[in-house]
């Protein structure tokens, strides 16, 4: 047990609120700061008026205040090298260094590492000119996946059902500059069939502990209809990620990746987010992310029985004991409540009520796009709240989450009513 740690969390979304919330539940009684935080983190930590991508200001605050640990939530500051800057000041950070974060920052680099490590993944080719990319389409069949190489705010992956759609995506990225430098290279990738699952691997550069698999729901409407979003809800554990699948993830995905990175002089410390496709070809890696996912974090961290800070610190110091990571029995579900119009244009400043009643009903309400305006809770983003509930089984967790949602009100609130429905096909 660690007592009285000073911990800085970087970010302002539901993921960061969930991290702060879980740290606040540790037995150690930590002093928590969040930069910049949101209305939810404000109740548990001191919010700092520093943006998550304002690296000079973050470093300046950390140098002056010397936190015992910094936990970086979003990918952009990791890919920009925030961990390197803080470690250069002798500070401990949970989050990979800039070179390791290239696993998310460059899909071409990530694919190169996977192939070298023997990690099961989709066949892909990398291109910098549209003519060569279009010429290669014939070797992939349909549907085919077109990916921007760099960070594109979750919008850089196109699943093209026709050749015309694939060609249009290639032209948009390479000729039209749709994603700027992030689309200066594109990957043409084999389409994989199956069900997706997300696994968080806590890593200290050599050792790994897997958290329970979660399944996200990307489409905005029920039955996986409508445009893609940042995620409309999730549940854990995902029945499709059987113990055999999880062992494949550990031994054939994460550990080989860490070994390959070490061969290149890169030590990966932090969470490795494995986006998986589980289907007729077995387990295949769709992508790696270098941070906790959202909304999966809001459903996985409430399932953690162990104190969180000692685990994150052990990863940062290269001394993780995987047996120290203990998971609660049962299941958890989180449902996102979104602003009207999301993922398109949406209003802000809508008054929110009922979060206290949802909490009193046994749910945990994580704030994503919220703010305090003249002392009143209002919407400030597209994904506004995530409502999480645990239960002895998945059905109990689903029922509890939707019971909690019934208490919360804001104008035009939208949420999916079928979160976790697909899981019952496996049970």
């Amino acid at each position: 047990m660690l007592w009285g740690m000073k911990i800085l969390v970087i970010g302002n979304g539901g993921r960061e609120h969930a991290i702060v919330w879980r740290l606040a539940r540790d037995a150690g009684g930590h002093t928590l700061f969040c930069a910049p935080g949101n209305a939810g983190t404000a109740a548990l930590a001191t919010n700092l008026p520093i943006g998550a991508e304002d690296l000079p200001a973050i470093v300046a605050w950390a140098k002056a205040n010397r936190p015992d640990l910094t936990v970086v939530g979003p990918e952009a500051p990791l890919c920009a090298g925030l961990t390197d800057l803080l470690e250069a000041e002798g500070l401990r950070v949970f989050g990979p260094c800039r070179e390791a974060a290239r696993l998310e920052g460059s899909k071409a680099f990530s694919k190169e590492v996977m192939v070298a490590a023997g990690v099961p993944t989709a066949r892909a080719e990398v291109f910098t000119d549209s003519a060569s990319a279009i010429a290669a389409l014939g070797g992939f069949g349909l549907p085919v996946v077109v990916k921007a190489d760099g960070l594109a705010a979750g919008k850089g992956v196109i699943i093209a059902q026709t050749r015309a759609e694939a060609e249009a995506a290639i032209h948009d990225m390479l000729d039209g500059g749709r994603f700027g430098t992030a689309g200066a290279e594109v990957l043409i990738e084999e389409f994989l069939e199956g069900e997706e699952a997300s696994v968080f691997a806590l890593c200290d550069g050599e050792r790994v502990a897997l958290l329970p698999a979660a399944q996200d729901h990307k489409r905005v409407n029920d039955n996986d209809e409508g445009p893609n979003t940042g995620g409309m809800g999730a549940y854990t554990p995902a029945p499709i990620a059987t113990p055999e699948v999880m062992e494949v993830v550990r031994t054939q995905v994460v550990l080989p990746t860490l070994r390959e990175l070490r061969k290149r002089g890169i030590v990966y410390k932090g969470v490795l987010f494995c986006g998986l496709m589980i289907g007729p070809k077995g387990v295949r890696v769709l992508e790696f992310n270098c941070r906790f996912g959202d909304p999966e974090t809001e459903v996985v961290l409430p399932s953690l029985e162990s104190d969180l800070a000692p685990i994150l610190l052990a990863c940062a110091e290269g001394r993780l004991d995987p047996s120290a990571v203990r998971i609660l029995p049962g299941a958890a579900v989180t449902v996102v409540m979104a602003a009207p119009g999301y993922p398109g244009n949406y209003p802000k400043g809508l008054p929110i009520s009922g979060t206290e009643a949802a909490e009193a009903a046994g749910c945990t309400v994580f704030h994503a796009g919220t703010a305090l305006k003249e002392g009143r809770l209002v919407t400030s983003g597209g994904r506004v709240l995530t409502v999480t509930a645990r239960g002895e089984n998945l059905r109990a967790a689903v029922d509890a989450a939707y019971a909690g949602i019934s208490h919360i009100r804001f104008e035009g609130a939208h949420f999916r009513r079928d979160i976790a429905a697909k899981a019952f096909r496996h049970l």
Side-chain angles (χ1 to χ4, degrees):
M1 184 181 297
L2 295 172
W3 293 94
M5 288 182 67
K6 182 188 294 185
I7 303 174
L8 170 64
V9 177
I10 306 297
N12 68 340
R15 165 184 51 211
E16 288 74 32
H17 186 192
I19 292 169
V20 168
W21 172 87
R22 189 59 192 79
L23 289 168
R25 293 173 67 87
D26 280 5
H30 310 303
T31 302
L32 303 174
F33 300 86
C34 195
N38 60 32
T41 63
L44 301 167
T46 300
N47 284 350
L48 304 174
I50 301 173
E53 297 181 39
D54 189 348
L55 271 59
I58 293 170
V59 173
W61 186 91
K63 284 175 65 176
N65 293 275
R66 310 300 296 180
D68 300 299
L69 179 68
T70 298
V71 182
V72 186
E75 63 274 20
L78 290 167
C79 291
L82 178 57
T83 294
D84 308 68
L85 294 173
L86 292 173
E87 288 184 340
E89 300 296 333
L91 298 167
R92 290 169 290 192
V93 185
F94 180 82
C97 64
R98 183 173 186 167
E99 280 299 299
R102 288 182 67 205
L103 286 179
E104 179 167 3
S106 169
K107 293 181 178 66
F109 174 75
S110 181
K111 188 68 69 171
E112 175 195 320
V113 169
M114 281 189 259
V115 171
V119 170
T121 187
R123 182 174 66 89
E125 295 181 37
V126 182
F127 301 93
T128 56
D129 70 279
S130 57
S132 298
I134 289 170
L137 287 173
F140 282 88
L142 294 169
V144 65
V145 183
V146 182
K147 294 182 176 181
D149 174 64
L151 299 178
K155 300 178 177 64
V157 178
I158 308 296
I159 300 175
Q161 301 295 329
T162 67
R163 184 180 177 96
E165 288 178 9
E167 291 185 4
I170 290 168
H171 281 305
D172 281 350
M173 294 181 196
L174 290 177
D175 300 329
R178 179 179 176 187
F179 300 114
T181 57
E185 284 189 317
V186 302
L187 281 73
I188 309 299
E189 187 170 284
E190 164 194 17
F191 176 79
L192 296 174
E193 295 184 3
E195 283 193 41
E196 292 188 40
S198 305
V199 175
F200 296 151
L202 304 175
C203 307
D204 72 352
E206 186 173 350
R207 287 163 292 273
V208 59
L210 301 184
L211 297 181
Q215 202 160 39
D216 187 14
H217 297 63
K218 287 293 187 187
R219 300 283 182 175
V220 72
N221 295 322
D222 289 359
N223 303 312
D224 291 329
E225 296 179 353
N228 268 331
T229 71
M232 293 298 295
Y235 63 92
T236 186
I240 196 171
T242 62
E244 293 77 16
V245 165
M246 296 297 280
E247 185 63 10
V248 168
V249 175
R250 190 179 72 85
T251 60
Q252 299 182 31
V253 175
V254 181
L255 289 174
T257 299
L258 297 183
R259 286 194 294 267
E260 177 61 29
L261 290 173
R262 288 202 305 273
K263 287 181 184 177
R264 300 165 182 241
I266 302 170
V267 178
Y268 194 106
K269 296 179 180 180
V271 62
L272 182 61
F273 175 136
C274 305
L276 309 171
M277 183 66 77
I278 303 169
K281 293 187 175 182
V283 179
R284 296 288 185 272
V285 177
L286 293 174
E287 64 178 359
F288 283 138
N289 292 327
C290 62
R291 36 70 193 184
F292 285 114
D294 190 338
E296 295 97 333
T297 304
E298 293 95 305
V299 78
V300 171
L301 287 190
S303 299
L304 180 66
E305 181 179 16
S306 316
D307 283 358
L308 180 58
I311 295 170
L312 303 187
L313 184 64
C315 289
E317 294 181 340
R319 52 172 184 82
L320 174 66
D321 176 5
S323 68
V325 181
R326 299 182 303 278
I327 305 301
L328 293 167
V333 172
T334 195
V335 182
V336 172
M337 300 187 73
Y342 176 79
N345 294 325
Y346 50 83
K348 297 181 180 181
L350 303 173
I352 303 169
S353 64
T355 56
E356 298 89 348
E359 296 262 3
C363 291
T364 304
V365 180
F366 294 117
H367 294 239
T370 67
L372 290 172
K373 185 177 181 181
E374 298 176 354
R376 188 168 188 185
L377 186 66
V378 299
T379 67
S380 66
R383 291 189 294 173
V384 178
L385 301 167
T386 64
V387 180
T388 301
R390 286 190 45 77
E392 62 180 0
N393 54 48
L394 196 56
R395 172 52 63 194
V398 168
D399 291 346
Y402 283 105
I405 279 178
S406 70
H407 294 284
I408 300 175
R409 299 280 186 276
F410 58 88
E411 184 181 346
H414 169 73
F415 59 91
R416 282 183 58 160
R417 291 167 170 79
D418 65 343
I419 301 303
K422 68 179 70 174
F424 295 104
R425 298 199 301 263
H426 300 283
L427 297 174

